[in-house]
Each structure stands twice: as structure tokens, then as C-alpha cells.
């Protein structure tokens, strides 16, 4: 398994082979329409990762080469659970949608010594088919993303390890780099065919 993490000593991201990883999991998706104009979609994913023991599972950190054994650790940046749900209802040319997504906590370091919090996002939309007014193939739509202003980390550039007691100049003394997730956003769309 190749992982990428930021090496503070060199100031660049480094790809490393941590050896074999055992992965077990399941994905389940379902879509139903309990009524003619209502559709419901659900997706659930569970993944359990473990770095296998072996010489590549021992990484050397920093200029001093302190060994960190990753055997038995979870793969960084990989949430165990992701769940999404969406409801969509159509009525008289209008379409109403509401959905949500849950992402469980995940490790931000290869050594599993720092986790980022789980998060839940909610999105909604309302659209109108302008074909009802004679503009075939046209519609207007208003989307709202991150409706409840959830603060979350969208992606993580992992580090081999983290120890807040070490100086930030140390290989394990500074936090991993994270990308803050998208804020509450609204989008209006007008689509038309000429």
C-alpha cells in the first residue's frame, strides 16, 4: 500500500510503501420508490483496514530515523463508516430533494495517534421544470449545501505520527495538514436549450 504524508524536514510530500494492508468491508445501496413521485436512496459503507506486519510496516521518522511500527494500525484518512441518505419528491413540475451524509472519525497519522472528528452534512434542493411553461429541456434549481454550517475537515494530508509534546521542528511535533470542508453554500441554476 502506498501512502502519502508530508515530510517536514524536506518540506515535501513523500510517497511510502507501508507493505500489505488487510481490508474487510461491505457496501450496501438501496433505492426505493414507495410512491409514484417519491424516491429514497440509501448507501452504507463499512471498511476495516489493518497494516500487516513486515519490514515495510516499520517506518523511520525524521532525520534521526526513529522507528514507528505500523503493524495492526488502521490506514490513515480512511473512515470506518460512511452513510448517505437522499429523499426526492416530484409534484406539479417541482422537484424537492433533501439528503445527508455521515463520515465517521478517521486517523490523521499513520501511527494512529491523532483522529479527526466525524461529521454530518445536510443538503437540499428545489427545482422547477420549465417545460411546464413551454420551455422544453429547461429548468431552474436552487441548491443548498452544508445547511447546518458543519465545521469539518474534508481531506487530510497525513503525517507518520504526532506527539504534541515534541517541538514543531520535530518530525512528529506538528499537526497533519488538513483541508477545511466547504462552508454553507447556495447555488442557483438556470438551464435552457436553444
Amino acid at each position: 500500500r502506498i501512502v502519502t504524508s508530508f515530510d517536514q524536514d524536506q518540506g515535501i510530500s513523500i510517497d511510502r510503501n507501508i507493505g500489505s494492508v488487510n481490508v474487510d468491508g461491505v457496501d450496501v445501496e438501496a433505492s426505493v420508490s414507495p410512491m409514484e413521485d417519491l424516491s429514497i436512496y440509501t448507501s452504507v459503507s463499512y471498511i476495516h483496514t489493518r497494516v500487516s506486519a513486515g519490514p515495510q510496516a516499520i517506518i523511520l521518522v525524521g532525520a534521526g530515523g526513529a522507528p514507528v511500527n505500523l503493524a495492526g494500525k488502521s490506514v490513515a484518512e480512511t473512515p470506518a463508516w460512511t452513510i448517505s441518505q437522499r429523499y426526492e419528491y416530484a409534484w406539479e413540475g417541482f422537484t424537492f430533494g433533501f439528503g445527508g451524509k455521515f463520515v465517521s472519525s478517521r486517523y490523521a497519522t499513520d501511527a494512529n495517534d491523532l483522529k479527526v472528528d466525524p461529521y454530518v452534512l445536510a443538503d437540499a434542493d428545489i427545482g422547477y421544470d420549465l417545460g411546464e411553461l413551454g420551455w422544453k429541456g429547461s429548468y431552474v434549481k436552487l441548491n443548498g449545501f452544508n445547511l447546518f454550517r458543519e465545521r469539518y475537515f474534508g481531506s487530510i494530508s497525513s503525517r507518520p505520527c504526532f506527539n504534541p509534546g515534541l517541538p514543531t521542528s520535530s518530525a512528529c511535533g506538528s499537526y497533519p495538514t488538513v483541508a477545511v470542508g466547504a462552508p454553507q453554500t447556495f447555488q442557483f441554476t438556470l438551464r435552457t436549450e436553444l
Side-chain angles (χ1 to χ4, degrees):
R1 166 88 182 198
I2 304 297
V3 296
T4 302
S5 60
F6 186 75
D7 185 312
Q8 185 163 329
D9 292 338
Q10 298 181 54
I12 59 173
S13 292
I14 304 290
D15 289 338
R16 294 176 288 104
N17 186 345
I18 60 170
S20 297
V21 174
N22 292 319
V23 179
D24 300 306
V26 63
D27 291 318
V28 178
E29 293 184 32
S31 182
V32 296
S33 293
M35 301 170 19
E36 182 179 337
D37 296 323
L38 175 66
S39 62
I40 302 169
Y41 170 81
T42 303
S43 171
V44 178
S45 295
Y46 172 77
I47 186 169
H48 181 240
T49 63
R50 296 165 310 290
V51 176
S52 302
Q56 291 174 317
I58 299 173
I59 59 173
L60 301 178
V61 179
V68 175
N69 189 351
L70 304 181
K73 306 288 186 185
S74 295
V75 175
E77 307 174 46
T78 307
W81 290 96
T82 54
I83 302 168
S84 64
Q85 181 85 44
R86 177 161 170 83
Y87 300 89
E88 190 169 285
Y89 183 71
W91 174 75
E92 305 268 332
F94 287 95
T95 303
F96 305 92
F98 180 77
K101 177 181 178 181
F102 167 77
V103 176
S104 67
S105 61
R106 57 218 148 124
Y107 288 104
T109 64
D110 298 333
N112 292 178
D113 49 13
L114 179 66
K115 263 188 174 182
V116 296
D117 292 333
Y119 63 89
V120 176
L121 299 176
D123 302 326
D125 57 81
I126 181 170
Y128 184 71
D129 180 2
L130 295 174
E132 298 284 322
L133 303 175
W135 294 345
K136 191 170 183 166
S138 302
Y139 64 85
V140 292
K141 191 172 191 178
L142 176 65
N143 293 79
F145 305 100
N146 193 2
L147 295 177
F148 303 118
R149 297 182 176 156
E150 178 80 12
R151 292 176 167 226
Y152 67 101
F153 296 125
S155 64
I156 306 164
S157 177
S158 69
R159 296 190 50 83
C161 52
F162 175 69
N163 182 338
L166 294 174
T168 56
S169 60
S170 163
C172 293
S174 62
Y175 284 97
T177 303
V178 296
V180 175
Q184 182 185 62
T185 307
F186 294 94
Q187 172 182 315
F188 179 78
T189 303
L190 169 62
R191 181 187 183 276
T192 187
E193 290 183 1
L194 299 176

